[in-house]
Amino acid sequence: MSDINPAFEALLEYLKRTRGIDFTGYKRSSLMRRVNKRMQAVEIESYSDYQDYLEVHPEEFLHLFNTLLINVTSFFRDRPAWDCIRTQVLPQILLRKAENEPIRVWSAGCSSGEEPCTLAILLAELLGVESFRERVKIYATDIDEDALSQARTATYEERAVASIPEEYLSKYFEQADDRFVFHRDLRRSIVFGRHDLVQDAPISRIDLLACRNTLMYFNAETQAQIINRFHFALVEEGVLFLGKAETLLSQNSNFASIELKQRIFTKVCSPNSRDRLLLSSGENGELVHSMSNQIRTREAGFNAVPIAQVVVDVNGIVLLINERARNLFNLSRRDVGRPLQDLELSYRPIELRALISQVYAERRAIVLRDVEWAIGTVLMNLEVQISPLSDGNGTLLGASVSFTDMSRYTQLQRDLENSNQELEMAYEELQSTNEELETTNEELQSTVEELETTNEELQSTNEELETMNEELQSTNEELYTINEELRRRSIEVIQLNAFLESILTSLRSGVVVIDSNLYVQVWNQEAEELWGLRSDEVRDQHFFNLDIGLPVAQLYQPIRNCLTQETELEEILLDAVNRRGRSIQCKVTCSPLFGTEREPQGVILLMEPLNAASADSAVSDA
């Protein structure tokens, strides 16, 4: 195509090769737009330069993937669609299930986990929490590890749960500070895991598959591939729930719409060739008879093949099983037309479904050797070949799985190997003397080399130990220096506190220091003697709330003037009553307490009793 940018394609291949994430199936327009956004952030203009930047700065991968993997989701997103799931889809699924039969749900592209939690809430409402925990398993997958890490915590902010109905929020979430935690019993039934819809095999036997607004990022070919995998993953009459942005299934014959407006579909099982032949028998009997003979002849020829062979279509339906395969794996003709996932053959002797998906993706055959299979007490050695089947136009039709019994060949090969070993042993005996001498020489040489290597390793280890010792010594010296500094500063602080306490004690006036919020910080011993309150009783108390003999309300304006720097010193004479109930006159001097920036941090109040008798009484009490 003319619009393909080779440098951009090389960048996508580099991401696939180095990080294992395949973006080649995504729509190029949206991919290039988001990559360009990241390139602008790091000020790079060309894709090749950006690839070089990724090689030098591996931490950029995280920012790039966060930009490419758009995680937009919410609880009960598109409420009418969820109402349809609650009232129509889930009741029908439960109606088809036996009382204790498991229910399997897959949320593909789950982002930060809101969608699987929504599914869990609706199922818990229908089943009850106890039955939900016993029967339901929800597989929540995404390609973004960061989003999965967030989803596993099942913890959401208040704005994230705003779309949840109040009755569900209070019932299924616990509030912890400003966050909401999803119900623990329901969370245990949700399995979060990384899954690439393009590369990884689909999860099987799913009753409800939700993949909302994810397919829109892929091109048409990749979308078709993923849709086929979804068809394989769903059980018969399983339900596929897409987002409003996806319309591909409206023309897909593998699915029928339940609610096309809400993008809800059900799986349609494709009939096999014999069924289609019977359906058309009423139109042309002679043609049908001829076609029936051809089909029987082909089936007879297929049964005559000496190797076991099974053919499945792209939807995972078994079309053909030859006689050898039926005998080998205990199958019957009734298994034709059944989904492969329902047969034991799908996982024994090997996991076939993942291999068939790989064959579809790579369009090439896969051969597995030395596959063991036991029939009674006989252990067989099989060679399994899985080949894609396509028509003349290259359209993928299905896959052929053949099992070739290699037991006899393996035994002959072992017998031949034993004979060769015996001949080799005879030859080795003739050469033993010479080889022993050569071996002894090699061992001596090897021993010398090992001793030299050991010596070098010991020397290297010794150097490392010396380096570590120096580092530890340096660290110890630093710690000692820090400890000495802390000890010296502690002594200085103790001395300063003692000095300050000595000053405050020696003053013959009451000293009170309040902060800018008018809370008491300092209350000296003379203040205790004057007003009868201890320092620990008034510290951190609002000054104007103190019940003392001093009319503190009259000090409000002088204190406020000091805090606003309207004055640097104010004196006021107040009538007061000391702790002994004697009336005194008290001179109160207010001055601001400045901080390092010459901004008032508080006010210092100096209280001096002026009455001689009261002063003498205060001295005698001291």
Side-chain angles (χ1 to χ4, degrees), residues 335-351:
D335 293 321
V336 175
R338 293 180 60 189
L340 177 64
Q341 66 183 17
D342 293 345
L343 304 180
E344 183 182 2
L345 178 64
S346 65
Y347 58 89
R348 292 184 60 195
I350 57 172
E351 177 59 53

Side-chain angles (χ1 to χ4, degrees), residues 375-390:
I375 301 180
T377 59
V378 180
L379 184 64
M380 300 180 63
N381 187 282
L382 302 177
E383 178 182 278
V384 183
Q385 178 170 332
I386 307 170
S387 305
L389 302 176
S390 57

Side-chain angles (χ1 to χ4, degrees), residues 106-173:
W106 181 9
S107 174
C110 68
S111 187
S112 51
E114 284 88 339
E115 183 178 278
C117 290
T118 303
L119 289 165
I121 290 172
L122 295 182
L123 283 165
E125 282 291 300
L126 292 172
L127 294 170
V129 174
E130 191 67 29
S131 180
F132 172 90
R133 189 172 57 184
E134 294 176 357
R135 296 182 59 189
V136 177
K137 185 70 69 177
I138 300 176
Y139 299 92
T141 64
D142 202 283
I143 198 175
D144 189 345
E145 287 286 4
D146 289 340
L148 286 173
S149 297
Q150 180 183 347
R152 289 187 180 100
T153 65
T155 303
Y156 302 94
E157 297 178 353
E158 185 174 359
R159 60 184 179 84
V161 299
S163 58
I164 302 177
E166 182 60 35
E167 64 271 19
Y168 292 165
L169 184 63
S170 59
K171 186 175 180 180
Y172 296 107
F173 287 83

Side-chain angles (χ1 to χ4, degrees), residues 135-312:
R135 296 182 59 189
V136 177
K137 185 70 69 177
I138 300 176
Y139 299 92
T141 64
D142 202 283
I143 198 175
D144 189 345
E145 287 286 4
D146 289 340
L148 286 173
S149 297
Q150 180 183 347
R152 289 187 180 100
T153 65
T155 303
Y156 302 94
E157 297 178 353
E158 185 174 359
R159 60 184 179 84
V161 299
S163 58
I164 302 177
E166 182 60 35
E167 64 271 19
Y168 292 165
L169 184 63
S170 59
K171 186 175 180 180
Y172 296 107
F173 287 83
E174 297 178 2
Q175 188 168 3
D177 297 330
D178 58 342
R179 302 179 71 83
F180 292 81
V181 182
F182 189 55
H183 198 294
R184 191 174 291 103
D185 286 341
L186 272 63
R187 166 63 184 85
R188 292 193 186 102
S189 296
I190 304 176
V191 180
F192 290 98
R194 186 185 182 281
H195 184 277
D196 189 336
L197 293 176
V198 179
Q199 300 185 79
D200 297 334
I203 302 171
S204 61
R205 293 175 285 123
I206 298 299
D207 298 296
L208 171 61
L209 198 164
C211 181
R212 312 198 65 218
N213 296 341
T214 300
L215 295 178
M216 63 182 183
Y217 297 110
F218 298 97
N219 57 38
E221 181 181 355
T222 307
Q223 286 182 12
Q225 179 183 347
I226 295 173
I227 289 297
N228 287 334
R229 294 190 176 195
F230 285 170
H231 188 274
F232 171 82
L234 289 167
V235 299
E236 187 175 351
E237 298 184 9
V239 176
L240 178 61
F241 182 24
L242 300 180
K244 285 190 173 182
E246 287 126 353
T247 59
L248 178 67
L249 285 181
S250 58
Q251 294 85 28
N252 193 299
S253 60
N254 289 331
F255 290 88
S257 63
I258 296 176
E259 283 290 340
L260 183 59
K261 182 179 180 181
Q262 308 301 341
R263 304 296 188 265
I264 302 175
F265 305 86
T266 184
K267 175 179 177 178
V268 176
C269 293
S270 303
N272 56 35
S273 59
R274 188 185 297 273
D275 295 335
R276 288 193 292 269
L277 183 62
L278 293 174
L279 289 173
S280 62
S281 60
E283 299 178 3
N284 193 330
E286 185 177 351
L287 177 61
V288 168
H289 179 72
S290 174
M291 292 178 63
S292 177
N293 287 335
Q294 292 180 20
I295 291 175
R296 286 198 298 271
T297 303
R298 290 176 182 174
E299 289 183 351
F302 184 67
N303 285 327
V305 175
I307 63 174
Q309 191 170 359
V310 177
V311 176
V312 298

Side-chain angles (χ1 to χ4, degrees), residues 21 23 34 37-38 59-71 144-147:
I21 300 181
F23 290 109
R34 303 201 68 78
K37 178 182 179 181
R38 191 59 211 161
E59 69 278 1
E60 173 64 18
F61 282 103
L62 177 62
H63 302 298
L64 176 61
F65 291 157
N66 287 338
T67 303
L68 291 177
L69 303 172
I70 306 171
N71 296 316
D144 189 345
E145 287 286 4
D146 289 340

Side-chain angles (χ1 to χ4, degrees), residues 414-426 428:
R414 290 172 182 169
D415 293 342
L416 180 60
E417 289 176 355
N418 291 334
S419 299
N420 289 336
Q421 289 176 359
E422 292 176 358
L423 291 173
E424 289 175 0
M425 289 175 63
E428 288 172 358

